[in-house]
Amino acid sequence: MPGRCRAVFESASVQNVHFDGVMGKVRFDANGDAVSQTVTVYRLSGGTWKPV
């Protein structure tokens, strides 16, 4: 997470946010970083899916 955004998350109570999402439980650490899981985003390019 960019440093300028980190201060906003640290001052907010995002570390107390947790919920059941479509892909499972979602929660954040004290820095606002997601700790629940890794997500890979793919793009269709030339007829094949490639990770972004």
Side-chain angles (χ1 to χ4, degrees), residues 27-38:
R27 63 188 180 94
F28 302 90
D29 66 13
N31 294 318
D33 297 320
V35 294
S36 304
Q37 59 211 330
T38 301

Side-chain angles (χ1 to χ4, degrees), residues 18-43:
H18 58 279
F19 58 92
D20 291 326
V22 174
M23 298 185 320
K25 294 193 180 293
V26 177
R27 63 188 180 94
F28 302 90
D29 66 13
N31 294 318
D33 297 320
V35 294
S36 304
Q37 59 211 330
T38 301
V39 175
T40 304
V41 177
Y42 291 88
R43 176 182 304 164

Side-chain angles (χ1 to χ4, degrees), residues 44-48 50:
L44 184 61
S45 177
T48 59
K50 297 181 180 178

